[in-house]
Amino acid sequence: MLHPLTNGRWQKIITNQSGNFFYGVKTTKIFCKPTCHSKTPNKDNVLIFKTTREAIKSGFRPCKRCQPTGQTLSNDEWVNQIKKYLQLNYQQKLTLDKIALDCHGSSSSLQRIFKKITNKSPNDYLIELRLQHSQQLLRETDYSIKTIAARCGFNSDTYFNTSFKTKYHQTPLDYKYHNN
Ligand SMILES: [Zn+2]
């Protein structure tokens, strides 16, 4: 069930006016009321929902800030939201500030609550995701180390090599050799 992003709806979203609809952002899988003061989304990534149920059924989660379902988001729910966001976006360059902005919280509460619930920092979780994905590419493709590093969101192949070795006690190339 798709509802059009009319110009009227878009204007409400960017000027934070109320409307009888909700909007979700594809890259974060979070949905908001049009009044939400979160970052203005990229127009191409916006989906319109008539009800919160419709948004939830489409795999979106309620925003922590504007609470579109009228319920406070628990820390567990928020951390699940952040994890989902990282799983969708780990290939990109991500800073704590960007993650916090996209997940509608402050960077200090993001760091603190994520660590409290998962026992690791958002960055540790992000590196794990990147390394897991790199293992898959090492096994299943013939991409160079440089390409794999870039595809998994590492700034450089040196950083990729170091992170891989720290976690798995072998180099990416050794891993590839033993798993091909
Ligand atoms: Zn919101």
Side-chain angles (χ1 to χ4, degrees):
M1 229 186 319
L2 276 180
H3 309 289
L5 176 56
T6 57
N7 197 38
R9 284 175 177 157
W10 177 242
Q11 286 307 319
K12 285 186 172 172
I13 293 170
I14 59 179
T15 56
N16 308 132
Q17 293 173 54
S18 57
N20 58 348
F21 67 95
F22 301 91
Y23 72 96
V25 182
K26 281 186 238 168
T27 46
T28 59
K29 284 280 182 181
I30 295 173
F31 72 98
C32 286
K33 298 182 199 171
T35 47
C36 186
H37 284 270
S38 58
K39 186 184 85 167
T40 302
N42 183 331
K43 200 173 175 182
D44 294 337
N45 294 330
V46 170
L47 287 179
I48 300 295
F49 302 107
K50 283 296 207 174
T51 61
T52 57
R53 250 188 84 203
E54 204 181 287
I56 290 164
K57 262 177 70 185
S58 309
F60 285 75
R61 294 160 186 273
C63 166
K64 184 177 171 63
R65 184 178 285 177
C66 66
Q67 303 174 355
T69 57
Q71 285 163 333
T72 317
L73 195 69
S74 71
N75 285 345
D76 284 307
E77 251 304 297
W78 192 39
V79 167
N80 283 337
Q81 207 169 77
I82 296 160
K83 282 183 173 175
K84 178 89 194 169
Y85 168 83
L86 293 174
Q87 286 159 17
L88 288 167
N89 294 282
Y90 68 87
Q91 294 99 332
Q92 299 174 32
K93 290 204 192 337
L94 295 174
T95 61
L96 194 61
D97 284 342
K98 172 158 169 58
I99 299 167
L101 195 63
D102 282 346
C103 294
H104 306 181
S106 72
S107 48
S108 59
S109 58
L110 176 92
Q111 178 88 331
R112 183 171 46 81
I113 291 169
F114 196 93
K115 181 115 195 203
K116 192 173 143 197
I117 305 269
T118 66
N119 273 323
K120 49 184 108 162
S121 71
N123 197 48
D124 288 344
Y125 180 79
L126 182 59
I127 289 176
E128 265 172 37
L129 283 177
R130 288 173 167 164
L131 288 175
Q132 279 165 14
H133 186 60
S134 77
Q135 284 190 313
Q136 192 192 345
L137 291 179
L138 287 164
R139 286 194 309 267
E140 295 171 7
T141 73
D142 281 318
Y143 295 150
S144 69
I145 297 300
K146 212 180 172 67
T147 302
I148 292 178
R151 287 211 173 204
C152 297
F154 289 96
N155 298 337
S156 71
D157 40 338
T158 316
Y159 180 50
F160 170 47
N161 264 300
T162 313
S163 308
F164 197 97
K165 244 174 116 174
T166 307
K167 173 105 177 146
Y168 301 118
H169 309 290
Q170 57 182 344
T171 66
L173 277 179
D174 284 339
Y175 178 83
K176 186 175 178 68
Y177 179 78
H178 290 293
N179 288 280
N180 259 350

mmCIF file of all heavy atoms in Angstrom, residues 71-95:
data_model
loop_
_atom_site.group_PDB
_atom_site.id
_atom_site.type_symbol
_atom_site.label_atom_id
_atom_site.label_comp_id
_atom_site.label_asym_id
_atom_site.label_seq_id
_atom_site.Cartn_x
_atom_site.Cartn_y
_atom_site.Cartn_z
ATOM 1 N N GLN A 71 3.904 5.926 22.490
ATOM 2 C CA GLN A 71 4.571 5.204 23.575
ATOM 3 C C GLN A 71 6.050 5.561 23.602
ATOM 4 O O GLN A 71 6.658 5.764 22.559
ATOM 5 C CB GLN A 71 4.437 3.697 23.374
ATOM 6 C CG GLN A 71 3.053 3.193 23.716
ATOM 7 C CD GLN A 71 2.797 1.818 23.149
ATOM 8 O OE1 GLN A 71 3.383 1.438 22.132
ATOM 9 N NE2 GLN A 71 1.920 1.079 23.778
ATOM 10 N N THR A 72 6.585 5.606 24.801
ATOM 11 C CA THR A 72 8.012 5.874 24.937
ATOM 12 C C THR A 72 8.794 4.687 24.405
ATOM 13 O O THR A 72 8.430 3.543 24.642
ATOM 14 C CB THR A 72 8.374 6.072 26.425
ATOM 15 O OG1 THR A 72 7.373 6.874 27.009
ATOM 16 C CG2 THR A 72 9.711 6.733 26.578
ATOM 17 N N LEU A 73 9.843 4.985 23.696
ATOM 18 C CA LEU A 73 10.684 3.923 23.151
ATOM 19 C C LEU A 73 11.621 3.433 24.259
ATOM 20 O O LEU A 73 12.313 4.229 24.876
ATOM 21 C CB LEU A 73 11.480 4.495 21.986
ATOM 22 C CG LEU A 73 12.157 3.539 21.042
ATOM 23 C CD1 LEU A 73 11.117 2.794 20.224
ATOM 24 C CD2 LEU A 73 13.082 4.304 20.115
ATOM 25 N N SER A 74 11.628 2.124 24.505
ATOM 26 C CA SER A 74 12.539 1.611 25.538
ATOM 27 C C SER A 74 13.968 1.617 25.001
ATOM 28 O O SER A 74 14.186 1.663 23.794
ATOM 29 C CB SER A 74 12.141 0.193 25.925
ATOM 30 O OG SER A 74 12.446 -0.687 24.862
ATOM 31 N N ASN A 75 14.923 1.533 25.936
ATOM 32 C CA ASN A 75 16.327 1.494 25.510
ATOM 33 C C ASN A 75 16.605 0.287 24.620
ATOM 34 O O ASN A 75 17.340 0.378 23.644
ATOM 35 C CB ASN A 75 17.242 1.441 26.735
ATOM 36 C CG ASN A 75 17.323 2.785 27.424
ATOM 37 O OD1 ASN A 75 16.942 3.808 26.851
ATOM 38 N ND2 ASN A 75 17.819 2.797 28.649
ATOM 39 N N ASP A 76 15.984 -0.851 24.964
ATOM 40 C CA ASP A 76 16.180 -2.058 24.146
ATOM 41 C C ASP A 76 15.720 -1.837 22.712
ATOM 42 O O ASP A 76 16.396 -2.209 21.770
ATOM 43 C CB ASP A 76 15.383 -3.239 24.718
ATOM 44 C CG ASP A 76 16.038 -3.814 25.945
ATOM 45 O OD1 ASP A 76 17.237 -4.138 25.865
ATOM 46 O OD2 ASP A 76 15.367 -3.921 26.981
ATOM 47 N N GLU A 77 14.541 -1.214 22.591
ATOM 48 C CA GLU A 77 13.992 -0.945 21.263
ATOM 49 C C GLU A 77 14.908 0.005 20.483
ATOM 50 O O GLU A 77 15.148 -0.170 19.297
ATOM 51 C CB GLU A 77 12.609 -0.303 21.401
ATOM 52 C CG GLU A 77 11.472 -1.209 21.010
ATOM 53 C CD GLU A 77 11.607 -1.752 19.591
ATOM 54 O OE1 GLU A 77 11.598 -0.938 18.656
ATOM 55 O OE2 GLU A 77 11.730 -2.970 19.414
ATOM 56 N N TRP A 78 15.399 1.014 21.181
ATOM 57 C CA TRP A 78 16.257 1.990 20.515
ATOM 58 C C TRP A 78 17.544 1.330 20.034
ATOM 59 O O TRP A 78 17.990 1.549 18.922
ATOM 60 C CB TRP A 78 16.562 3.183 21.431
ATOM 61 C CG TRP A 78 17.182 4.328 20.692
ATOM 62 C CD1 TRP A 78 16.847 4.767 19.436
ATOM 63 C CD2 TRP A 78 18.261 5.165 21.126
ATOM 64 N NE1 TRP A 78 17.638 5.837 19.083
ATOM 65 C CE2 TRP A 78 18.511 6.093 20.098
ATOM 66 C CE3 TRP A 78 19.028 5.215 22.291
ATOM 67 C CZ2 TRP A 78 19.507 7.075 20.188
ATOM 68 C CZ3 TRP A 78 20.012 6.192 22.390
ATOM 69 C CH2 TRP A 78 20.244 7.107 21.341
ATOM 70 N N VAL A 79 18.112 0.469 20.887
ATOM 71 C CA VAL A 79 19.347 -0.220 20.493
ATOM 72 C C VAL A 79 19.078 -1.138 19.297
ATOM 73 O O VAL A 79 19.894 -1.218 18.369
ATOM 74 C CB VAL A 79 19.962 -0.977 21.699
ATOM 75 C CG1 VAL A 79 21.047 -1.941 21.252
ATOM 76 C CG2 VAL A 79 20.532 0.027 22.696
ATOM 77 N N ASN A 80 17.930 -1.799 19.277
ATOM 78 C CA ASN A 80 17.583 -2.618 18.105
ATOM 79 C C ASN A 80 17.496 -1.762 16.850
ATOM 80 O O ASN A 80 17.923 -2.179 15.765
ATOM 81 C CB ASN A 80 16.238 -3.326 18.320
ATOM 82 C CG ASN A 80 16.385 -4.513 19.248
ATOM 83 O OD1 ASN A 80 17.484 -5.061 19.385
ATOM 84 N ND2 ASN A 80 15.307 -4.902 19.894
ATOM 85 N N GLN A 81 16.959 -0.584 17.018
ATOM 86 C CA GLN A 81 16.843 0.357 15.904
ATOM 87 C C GLN A 81 18.234 0.772 15.383
ATOM 88 O O GLN A 81 18.468 0.814 14.181
ATOM 89 C CB GLN A 81 16.138 1.593 16.464
ATOM 90 C CG GLN A 81 15.352 2.399 15.491
ATOM 91 C CD GLN A 81 14.511 3.426 16.252
ATOM 92 O OE1 GLN A 81 15.030 4.437 16.710
ATOM 93 N NE2 GLN A 81 13.233 3.171 16.392
ATOM 94 N N ILE A 82 19.129 1.040 16.320
ATOM 95 C CA ILE A 82 20.483 1.448 15.944
ATOM 96 C C ILE A 82 21.209 0.290 15.241
ATOM 97 O O ILE A 82 21.877 0.476 14.225
ATOM 98 C CB ILE A 82 21.281 1.903 17.194
ATOM 99 C CG1 ILE A 82 20.626 3.142 17.806
ATOM 100 C CG2 ILE A 82 22.735 2.187 16.848
ATOM 101 C CD1 ILE A 82 21.002 3.390 19.250
ATOM 102 N N LYS A 83 21.016 -0.934 15.785
ATOM 103 C CA LYS A 83 21.648 -2.102 15.156
ATOM 104 C C LYS A 83 21.166 -2.269 13.722
ATOM 105 O O LYS A 83 21.951 -2.524 12.812
ATOM 106 C CB LYS A 83 21.320 -3.370 15.945
ATOM 107 C CG LYS A 83 22.123 -3.551 17.199
ATOM 108 C CD LYS A 83 21.723 -4.881 17.806
ATOM 109 C CE LYS A 83 22.590 -5.259 18.987
ATOM 110 N NZ LYS A 83 22.083 -6.493 19.609
ATOM 111 N N LYS A 84 19.864 -2.149 13.550
ATOM 112 C CA LYS A 84 19.278 -2.282 12.219
ATOM 113 C C LYS A 84 19.860 -1.218 11.284
ATOM 114 O O LYS A 84 20.223 -1.510 10.136
ATOM 115 C CB LYS A 84 17.751 -2.116 12.343
ATOM 116 C CG LYS A 84 16.999 -2.177 11.048
ATOM 117 C CD LYS A 84 16.625 -3.601 10.738
ATOM 118 C CE LYS A 84 16.185 -3.730 9.300
ATOM 119 N NZ LYS A 84 16.055 -5.090 8.856
ATOM 120 N N TYR A 85 19.970 -0.009 11.793
ATOM 121 C CA TYR A 85 20.533 1.085 11.005
ATOM 122 C C TYR A 85 21.976 0.758 10.596
ATOM 123 O O TYR A 85 22.357 0.945 9.444
ATOM 124 C CB TYR A 85 20.488 2.385 11.829
ATOM 125 C CG TYR A 85 21.293 3.502 11.233
ATOM 126 C CD1 TYR A 85 20.756 4.296 10.225
ATOM 127 C CD2 TYR A 85 22.600 3.748 11.642
ATOM 128 C CE1 TYR A 85 21.507 5.317 9.653
ATOM 129 C CE2 TYR A 85 23.353 4.754 11.078
ATOM 130 C CZ TYR A 85 22.806 5.537 10.085
ATOM 131 O OH TYR A 85 23.552 6.538 9.507
ATOM 132 N N LEU A 86 22.762 0.240 11.531
ATOM 133 C CA LEU A 86 24.160 -0.077 11.226
ATOM 134 C C LEU A 86 24.238 -1.221 10.204
ATOM 135 O O LEU A 86 25.084 -1.215 9.316
ATOM 136 C CB LEU A 86 24.923 -0.437 12.506
ATOM 137 C CG LEU A 86 25.103 0.722 13.494
ATOM 138 C CD1 LEU A 86 25.731 0.235 14.794
ATOM 139 C CD2 LEU A 86 25.953 1.833 12.887
ATOM 140 N N GLN A 87 23.331 -2.205 10.324
ATOM 141 C CA GLN A 87 23.322 -3.314 9.362
ATOM 142 C C GLN A 87 23.006 -2.814 7.950
ATOM 143 O O GLN A 87 23.487 -3.365 6.970
ATOM 144 C CB GLN A 87 22.288 -4.365 9.773
ATOM 145 C CG GLN A 87 22.754 -5.186 10.976
ATOM 146 C CD GLN A 87 21.587 -5.852 11.705
ATOM 147 O OE1 GLN A 87 20.485 -5.967 11.174
ATOM 148 N NE2 GLN A 87 21.827 -6.279 12.939
ATOM 149 N N LEU A 88 22.204 -1.776 7.860
ATOM 150 C CA LEU A 88 21.839 -1.247 6.546
ATOM 151 C C LEU A 88 22.892 -0.299 5.976
ATOM 152 O O LEU A 88 22.933 -0.059 4.782
ATOM 153 C CB LEU A 88 20.510 -0.480 6.632
ATOM 154 C CG LEU A 88 19.227 -1.280 6.832
ATOM 155 C CD1 LEU A 88 18.072 -0.359 7.207
ATOM 156 C CD2 LEU A 88 18.881 -2.048 5.558
ATOM 157 N N ASN A 89 23.709 0.289 6.856
ATOM 158 C CA ASN A 89 24.573 1.395 6.414
ATOM 159 C C ASN A 89 26.071 1.201 6.677
ATOM 160 O O ASN A 89 26.836 2.137 6.510
ATOM 161 C CB ASN A 89 24.118 2.699 7.090
ATOM 162 C CG ASN A 89 22.735 3.113 6.628
ATOM 163 O OD1 ASN A 89 22.576 3.648 5.538
ATOM 164 N ND2 ASN A 89 21.727 2.844 7.436
ATOM 165 N N TYR A 90 26.501 -0.017 7.077
ATOM 166 C CA TYR A 90 27.902 -0.191 7.472
ATOM 167 C C TYR A 90 28.899 0.073 6.342
ATOM 168 O O TYR A 90 30.061 0.350 6.579
ATOM 169 C CB TYR A 90 28.141 -1.590 8.054
ATOM 170 C CG TYR A 90 28.005 -2.698 7.037
ATOM 171 C CD1 TYR A 90 29.092 -3.084 6.268
ATOM 172 C CD2 TYR A 90 26.787 -3.327 6.827
ATOM 173 C CE1 TYR A 90 28.960 -4.082 5.310
ATOM 174 C CE2 TYR A 90 26.647 -4.321 5.879
ATOM 175 C CZ TYR A 90 27.735 -4.682 5.123
ATOM 176 O OH TYR A 90 27.598 -5.655 4.166
ATOM 177 N N GLN A 91 28.451 0.014 5.073
ATOM 178 C CA GLN A 91 29.369 0.247 3.953
ATOM 179 C C GLN A 91 29.791 1.708 3.859
ATOM 180 O O GLN A 91 30.755 2.033 3.189
ATOM 181 C CB GLN A 91 28.729 -0.132 2.609
ATOM 182 C CG GLN A 91 28.447 -1.599 2.435
ATOM 183 C CD GLN A 91 26.988 -1.906 2.719
ATOM 184 O OE1 GLN A 91 26.339 -1.215 3.492
ATOM 185 N NE2 GLN A 91 26.476 -2.956 2.103
ATOM 186 N N GLN A 92 29.031 2.580 4.514
ATOM 187 C CA GLN A 92 29.320 4.008 4.411
ATOM 188 C C GLN A 92 30.246 4.466 5.521
ATOM 189 O O GLN A 92 30.400 3.800 6.522
ATOM 190 C CB GLN A 92 28.025 4.801 4.542
ATOM 191 C CG GLN A 92 27.029 4.490 3.480
ATOM 192 C CD GLN A 92 25.728 5.217 3.766
ATOM 193 O OE1 GLN A 92 25.740 6.309 4.319
ATOM 194 N NE2 GLN A 92 24.631 4.592 3.426
ATOM 195 N N LYS A 93 30.822 5.648 5.321
ATOM 196 C CA LYS A 93 31.600 6.261 6.387
ATOM 197 C C LYS A 93 30.622 6.729 7.455
ATOM 198 O O LYS A 93 29.707 7.480 7.176
ATOM 199 C CB LYS A 93 32.349 7.473 5.858
ATOM 200 C CG LYS A 93 33.471 7.117 4.922
ATOM 201 C CD LYS A 93 34.514 8.226 4.909
ATOM 202 C CE LYS A 93 35.526 8.092 3.778
ATOM 203 N NZ LYS A 93 35.732 6.780 3.214
ATOM 204 N N LEU A 94 30.792 6.253 8.676
ATOM 205 C CA LEU A 94 29.865 6.614 9.740
ATOM 206 C C LEU A 94 30.632 7.147 10.937
ATOM 207 O O LEU A 94 31.591 6.536 11.373
ATOM 208 C CB LEU A 94 29.061 5.382 10.179
ATOM 209 C CG LEU A 94 28.102 4.761 9.165
ATOM 210 C CD1 LEU A 94 27.507 3.482 9.723
ATOM 211 C CD2 LEU A 94 26.995 5.736 8.799
ATOM 212 N N THR A 95 30.219 8.279 11.437
ATOM 213 C CA THR A 95 30.772 8.771 12.693
ATOM 214 C C THR A 95 29.692 8.614 13.752
ATOM 215 O O THR A 95 28.518 8.440 13.430
ATOM 216 C CB THR A 95 31.138 10.266 12.595
ATOM 217 O OG1 THR A 95 29.935 10.983 12.297
ATOM 218 C CG2 THR A 95 32.164 10.503 11.504
#
